[in-house]
Amino acid sequence: MSVATPRSNRFPLRLAQVSRLPQSGGDKALHRSGQSVTPVGLGLDSQGVRLQLVQRLRKGGVSHCGVLDAMSAVCRHDFLDSALAAQAYEDTSLPIGHGQTISKPSVIARMIELLFEGEGARKSASLGRVLEIGTGCGYQAAVISLLSINLVSIERIKALHDRAAVRLAGIRRDNIRLVFGDGMFGHPPNAPYDSIIAAAGGEHLPAAWLEQLAPFGRLVVPSRQPGSDRQVLVVVDRNEQGVRQSLHEAVNFVPLIPGVVV
Ligand code: SAH
């Protein structure tokens, strides 16, 4: 896998490089980003709240510096409705509308860290070309885009896809391609992918994901164990011999659903 981190997203970012939100016109009590309006005065725009989150992640066992830096660089509150912004830096999943949830920061960090433990990403220190299934609000896409060459992210609910597009345009990530569609088919035009990550889980891994996984690539997805309601993280590695699967800790993701909602 040949991997070069794009110039504009080279990691780790220095704190001085972390972009500030633009102030909204005449209203000093609000910050605007995409369609969301976030109240200020909660301290959410201070780097301190994100550094506290990173400290908690580190205590919880996340040790990859690139992952921790990326989590400290992305403003999670920008991706949430203003009513939930005060909870943005707690380690909790939160509703994003349409019956969906943004994952807990610790789970996002853990899954990305697992991707980095794959053979290709370990050698190149980049996630390479990434496929994400389940854009949701776009937060995880923003984090991954800082750690990859490029990212294709698929969402099946049009309203979430559209809102994520506005939010991600607001922070100018030019290495993200958002796709509206059924992620169970992956996205063949940009395949193969060095890393594949899903934010929704079913009982079976769609064949397209395995087909679109590059040599030395790694896939990390939640999956329900046959005959049970329990979901675990499943890791699949592709090497010269073929694919190898391992099971990890229990998780609780929204279901992977076929088809789209327009
Ligand atoms: N990481 C996301 C989490 C989103 S929740 C974030 O940062 O917000 C999981 C998302 O997966 C939901 O938005 C849901 O609509 C989406 N999803 C479920 N099944 C899907 C499918 N077959 N194709 C694409 N997206 C799907």
Side-chain angles (χ1 to χ4, degrees), residues 42-261:
L42 299 174
L44 299 175
D45 289 319
S46 105
Q47 187 59 17
V49 289
R50 277 176 294 289
L51 290 179
Q52 276 171 22
L53 169 67
V54 163
Q55 273 164 13
R56 284 199 299 273
L57 293 175
R58 203 180 268 127
K59 268 195 194 150
V62 180
S63 62
H64 191 284
C65 293
V67 176
L68 292 169
D69 283 347
M71 300 288 290
S72 80
V74 178
C75 295
R76 193 171 182 246
H77 67 271
D78 276 354
F79 293 85
L80 294 168
D81 285 343
S82 52
L84 296 169
Q87 290 163 266
Y89 299 101
E90 291 169 17
D91 192 27
T92 177
S93 55
L94 292 166
I96 55 172
H98 305 270
Q100 307 304 314
T101 53
I102 183 175
S103 315
K104 278 163 113 163
S106 58
V107 173
I108 291 177
R110 166 72 176 147
M111 289 177 80
I112 300 175
E113 195 166 62
L114 276 172
L115 283 177
F116 268 110
E117 288 167 13
E119 192 174 340
R122 219 175 36 231
K123 281 192 184 140
S124 63
S126 163
L127 298 180
R129 297 152 295 174
V130 184
L131 174 67
E132 177 189 49
I133 295 96
T135 311
C137 67
Y139 170 74
Q140 181 172 280
V143 174
I144 290 173
S145 73
L146 294 173
L147 300 163
S148 57
I149 294 178
N150 53 47
L151 165 70
V152 173
S153 181
I154 312 178
E155 174 55 54
R156 67 180 288 275
I157 300 177
K158 183 78 163 64
L160 289 178
H161 163 83
D162 289 345
R163 206 185 306 157
V166 173
R167 284 175 172 158
L168 290 167
I171 56 169
R172 294 193 194 89
R173 290 292 158 71
D174 53 16
N175 64 339
I176 302 180
R177 176 167 185 194
L178 295 184
V179 174
F180 167 58
D182 182 352
M184 288 174 108
F185 299 104
H187 189 65
N190 293 92
Y193 302 95
D194 304 305
S195 305
I196 299 180
I197 184 167
E203 194 166 315
H204 303 288
L205 288 189
W209 299 357
L210 296 177
E211 284 159 14
Q212 293 171 27
L213 186 63
F216 307 107
R218 176 172 268 211
L219 178 155
V220 178
V221 302
S223 183
R224 199 152 32 82
Q225 291 310 285
S228 106
D229 281 343
R230 193 164 168 266
Q231 266 182 352
V232 296
L233 287 181
V234 174
V235 170
V236 178
D237 288 296
R238 182 182 289 288
N239 58 25
E240 285 118 337
Q241 283 81 50
V243 293
R244 204 190 42 195
Q245 177 178 300
S246 57
L247 302 184
H248 296 256
E249 64 264 38
V251 282
N252 189 14
F253 279 82
V254 294
L256 183 71
I257 300 172
V260 296
V261 179

